Amino acid sequence: MLQRLPIRINKSFVALLMVEALVIVFDIVSSWTCEAYASLPGTFVVGANMLYFIFFSVRGFVFFIFTCNILGIALDEMKLKTFIAQLPMIINILIIISSPWTKAVYYIDDNGYNRGNLYNSIIITFIIYLLLIGYCAIRYLDSLSKMREKGGIFLYLAILTAGIILRVSMPKVLLMDTFCVMAILCIDLIFMNPDFFIERRTEIFNTDGLKVFLDEMYAQKYTQICAFVICHYQEARDIYSANQMDNGISLIGAYLKRTFPEVLHFYNRTGRFIIIAKDNDHIETIIKTIEERFKSPWFGNDLELYLDVSFARVECNCENYNADSIVTVLSNALKRASNSPNETVIIDDDMFAATHETTAIKRSLENAIENDAVEIFLQPIVDARTFKLSGAESLARIRDEKGNIIPPGKFISLAEKNGRINQLGDQVFKKTCEFIRGNDIAAMGMQWINVNLSTAQFMKKDLAEVFERLVSQYGVSPNLIHLEITEAAIIDESIMKNQIQEIQKRGFVFALDDYGTGYSNASRLKHFPFTNVKIDMSLVWDYCAQPDKVLPMLIETLKSSGYTITAEGIETLEMANTMADIGCDYLQGWYFSQPIPTNDFSDKYR
């Protein structure tokens, strides 16, 4: 009686319970009629036995169907194979129905109940389905991700096999039903426990349940998806306390179940709720009703919450997308909506395409890191007065499955989010060392190569040791590598100082990247031993478009403090001359060269 998802596996489990119940009932009734046959109408005795044998035959087939649903075998798309799988059951049922006349499986005479010559057909039919279960379990076992589920199939198959063996060896002892019930109990505990798919606080379905249902959404005639998120959920959790917010989430879940019992509700963590319905008009009503409800506070025991919500709504056919894609797109849309109360984000095919692109980039990133395939491209940094090569910046590049370069703006942030940025940075540093060792950079006119450090990478406690080991391994002088960090990394000054000091002891030099976009200022920079400050391209472009006194004064202040200045984003000769005129020491940008592979860089500047 617990809440279950309306999916194939649950429907087949209910069918299995019903068939097993009927088998047990008619096993008892038919046994009684066989004992009291003399005082009962003949048709009643014959009918009771006939129904028992029919349901016995159906039971094996239902066990097979349930196994197929566990393994994700879509029988409704394999009609011929499904019909062939039904044939043993159909043939056996026809033999059973004909038995009152043919005496094939059983017959009733003056001496009572008797077995027919084809009595073992019911046993053979059950064995056939056991063999089919075993075959499917072996062939499609990889479709199951959990060891509990993989072992579970073979466990209930073993129990059923033991039951049929005892049925054959001890025909007068009624043990077969007991073993079938044991198998069903194992199935219930291993596969069917509703708690696997229920979120405890809300008592509605969880993310795992959502993914399972989405795979069959259209088959179950559900076509409409909408979702809502509590705006600024984490801030609200900090304000009201975790306990009050958890109670609030429970109240919202209870409200949804009570108000919209005819649709499916899911809770996807951090204040995100998903609703799936069968028709579009219903979704419209649901959204308006929920909007109105959140205009009022949520009351409970010692609880009073004032919350805002935003919505996301799917307005494309999700039948072409898998469950993981849909859940990811919903999460991204709700994340976007969470900062804008009462906004509705429309999910369309373009959003799915962007998500697929992100997934492909993640896969390429993982592949590049795992196979040491991260490449470095070098962009020249030139002297502002002579335009001659002075240094370069080493930039990470990865390729997609077709060998095309993926822009860094698309994979750097992903590497930071999934914890791969440290491995990415290590490969860039290592391959920069390889380039320096394999080329006479002094002959090219280069004094250094800049390597970027992300904020996450800068938090590594053993970063100094890692860099020292790599330059020692490649025989590279550490002062040839300038480490670039952005202003975002200077939020915690104590960590910053300690890390810089440890790395500086090893002979490395530091530069500040993207100056003008973060939190630092000229006076704050005095606390850190930077040798060079890179002016962010946004400041450069703004000044070149509309000159003022701010940037020249800033550069003068920085230079008087002992820093050299690099201007980024130089795209024209006019921009280069302008930035040189206001005191920049070095220039970098596409006017001189875009980032190019190391081999091309060597050929160009050798």
Side-chain angles (χ1 to χ4, degrees):
M1 300 304 294
L2 292 174
Q3 185 181 18
R4 296 179 187 273
L5 288 166
I7 54 178
R8 293 189 190 96
I9 186 172
N10 287 341
K11 292 177 180 179
S12 61
F13 182 69
V14 171
L16 183 58
L17 290 175
M18 293 175 63
V19 170
E20 180 60 31
L22 290 169
V23 171
I24 291 173
V25 168
F26 283 103
D27 194 354
I28 296 169
V29 172
S30 62
S31 298
W32 168 69
T33 60
C34 289
E35 292 177 0
Y37 73 96
S39 59
L40 294 172
T43 53
F44 185 75
V45 179
V46 169
N49 280 276
M50 180 183 293
L51 289 172
Y52 167 67
F53 288 124
I54 287 174
F55 287 121
F56 189 102
S57 300
V58 171
R59 177 170 59 184
F61 178 70
V62 176
F63 268 112
F64 167 69
I65 292 295
F66 176 80
T67 305
C68 290
N69 287 329
I70 287 176
L71 296 169
I73 303 172
L75 293 174
D76 52 351
E77 299 174 5
M78 307 163 63
K79 294 183 179 180
L80 178 59
K81 291 183 178 179
T82 303
F83 174 72
I84 293 172
Q86 289 175 327
L87 281 178
M89 176 186 67
I90 294 171
I91 292 171
N92 196 46
I93 289 175
L94 292 174
I95 294 172
I96 293 166
I97 293 173
S98 70
S99 291
W101 300 277
T102 63
K103 300 182 180 181
V105 176
Y106 70 97
Y107 61 94
I108 310 296
D109 59 14
D110 294 339
N111 297 319
Y113 169 83
N114 298 276
R115 292 187 177 185
N117 294 329
L118 298 181
Y119 174 83
N120 286 331
S121 66
I122 62 169
I123 306 297
I124 293 170
T125 301
F126 197 87
I127 291 173
I128 289 172
Y129 287 118
L130 290 184
L131 293 172
L132 287 174
I133 291 172
Y135 168 76
C136 291
I138 293 171
R139 180 174 179 183
Y140 297 98
L141 193 63
D142 290 340
S143 65
L144 300 176
S145 58
K146 299 176 182 176
M147 289 302 298
R148 166 176 55 82
E149 295 175 341
K150 292 179 179 180
I153 287 184
F154 292 104
L155 176 60
Y156 76 73
L157 178 60
I159 292 172
L160 293 174
T161 302
I164 202 70
I165 290 172
L166 289 174
R167 170 81 186 199
V168 173
S169 59
M170 303 169 63
K172 294 186 178 182
V173 182
L174 302 180
L175 288 174
M176 184 64 186
D177 292 341
T178 303
F179 279 84
C180 288
V181 170
M182 288 169 60
I184 290 173
L185 286 173
C186 288
I187 288 170
D188 185 58
L189 292 171
I190 296 169
F191 298 99
M192 303 307 302
N193 189 341
D195 286 344
F196 294 156
F197 300 132
I198 297 293
E199 206 280 329
R200 286 293 184 182
R201 288 173 298 177
T202 60
E203 295 186 357
I204 60 179
F205 297 117
N206 59 20
T207 304
D208 290 336
L210 175 62
K211 290 180 179 180
V212 169
F213 181 76
L214 287 173
D215 286 331
E216 296 185 22
M217 185 176 78
Y218 281 86
Q220 307 305 332
K221 310 302 182 185
Y222 287 81
T223 60
Q224 302 299 319
I225 305 175
C226 76
F228 67 91
V229 59
I230 297 173
C231 295
H232 309 291
Y233 174 80
Q234 197 56 55
E235 290 87 339
R237 198 172 179 84
D238 293 337
I239 293 169
Y240 289 113
S241 82
N243 185 53
Q244 287 201 67
M245 280 301 294
D246 286 345
N247 291 335
I249 293 295
S250 298
L251 289 175
I252 295 170
Y255 165 78
L256 292 175
K257 290 175 65 177
R258 182 176 63 254
T259 311
F260 312 109
E262 66 285 351
V263 301
L264 295 177
H265 319 93
F266 301 86
Y267 184 63
N268 189 28
R269 299 186 297 274
T270 60
R272 296 177 293 190
F273 293 83
I274 290 92
I275 297 170
I276 303 182
K278 292 186 176 181
D279 59 85
N280 187 51
D281 292 339
H282 201 174
I283 285 289
E284 294 278 2
T285 304
I286 289 171
I287 291 175
K288 290 178 182 178
T289 304
I290 293 173
E291 280 181 332
E292 287 299 317
R293 176 62 187 85
F294 272 89
K295 291 179 181 178
S296 303
W298 295 86
F299 291 106
N301 294 330
D302 301 321
L303 177 70
E304 184 176 350
L305 298 178
Y306 293 84
L307 303 171
D308 291 316
V309 290
S310 292
F311 293 85
R313 183 171 176 181
V314 178
E315 292 194 355
C316 61
N317 188 346
C318 290
E319 197 168 5
N320 300 322
Y321 307 112
N322 60 36
D324 286 332
S325 293
I326 297 172
V327 172
T328 301
V329 169
L330 282 170
S331 297
N332 292 341
L334 290 174
K335 184 177 180 180
R336 183 195 303 178
S338 64
N339 296 321
S340 304
N342 303 317
E343 180 183 344
T344 298
V345 175
I346 302 301
I347 298 173
D348 55 16
D349 289 315
D350 290 340
M351 193 172 290
F352 276 100
T355 300
H356 288 165
E357 181 187 27
T358 300
T359 302
I361 292 171
K362 284 182 180 178
R363 190 163 51 246
S364 298
L365 175 64
E366 294 289 330
N367 183 63
I369 290 173
E370 292 296 333
N371 295 292
D372 195 29
V374 177
E375 301 177 37
I376 61 167
F377 278 34
L378 297 175
Q379 185 173 31
I381 299 173
V382 304
D383 185 284
R385 294 178 300 278
T386 65
F387 291 177
K388 290 185 178 181
L389 186 67
S390 293
E393 182 175 0
S394 182
L395 300 164
R397 294 292 185 269
I398 63 173
R399 297 182 184 272
D400 60 22
E401 295 175 349
K402 297 180 180 178
N404 300 317
I405 290 292
I406 298 174
K410 292 187 176 182
F411 71 82
I412 295 294
S413 59
L414 290 177
E416 291 176 334
K417 290 176 183 177
N418 65 13
R420 289 292 204 168
I421 191 65
N422 287 322
Q423 294 163 290
L424 180 69
D426 288 349
Q427 286 195 34
V428 170
F429 189 92
K430 182 186 72 171
K431 291 180 180 182
T432 302
C433 291
E434 288 178 354
F435 176 81
I436 295 174
R437 183 180 67 176
N439 295 271
D440 186 355
I441 66 170
M444 297 181 190
M446 284 201 294
Q447 306 164 45
W448 73 87
I449 295 181
N450 289 358
V451 175
N452 290 287
L453 293 182
S454 73
T455 305
Q457 191 180 3
F458 201 71
M459 298 299 290
K460 280 183 65 176
K461 292 183 178 180
D462 64 340
L463 187 63
E465 288 80 4
V466 170
F467 285 172
E468 183 180 35
R469 185 175 65 252
L470 286 171
V471 293
S472 176
Q473 176 183 339
Y474 288 95
V476 172
S477 176
N479 62 12
L480 294 177
I481 297 177
H482 290 193
L483 301 174
E484 286 190 10
I485 57 176
T486 63
E487 290 188 89
I490 315 180
I491 295 174
D492 192 317
E493 291 193 22
S494 61
I495 295 176
M496 181 78 164
K497 284 181 179 179
N498 293 335
Q499 188 72 287
I500 286 180
Q501 287 172 1
E502 287 299 314
I503 297 175
Q504 212 176 19
K505 288 177 185 177
R506 274 76 175 179
F508 293 96
V509 177
F510 280 89
L512 181 64
D513 194 16
D514 297 338
Y515 184 81
T517 61
Y519 301 95
S520 65
N521 52 56
S523 62
R524 194 178 178 196
L525 291 180
K526 294 179 181 178
H527 301 293
F528 305 104
F530 297 116
T531 60
N532 177 262
V533 175
K534 276 189 166 184
I535 305 299
D536 185 72
M537 64 175 65
S538 61
L539 295 182
V540 173
W541 292 347
D542 287 344
Y543 179 80
C544 291
Q546 190 171 358
D548 55 34
K549 295 181 179 180
V550 176
L551 188 58
M553 291 176 64
L554 175 62
I555 290 173
E556 183 180 351
T557 302
L558 292 172
K559 293 192 70 172
S560 66
S561 300
Y563 305 110
T564 58
I565 307 298
T566 302
E568 296 182 295
I570 305 300
E571 296 187 344
T572 65
L573 176 60
E574 183 182 0
M575 292 177 68
N577 290 330
T578 299
M579 298 315 294
D581 290 342
I582 63 173
C584 291
D585 301 289
Y586 304 104
L587 305 174
Q588 179 181 355
W590 279 40
Y591 173 69
F592 302 104
S593 173
Q594 61 181 324
I596 56 177
T598 53
N599 290 336
D600 294 344
F601 190 92
S602 298
D603 293 340
K604 183 174 181 179
Y605 294 103
R606 184 178 293 116

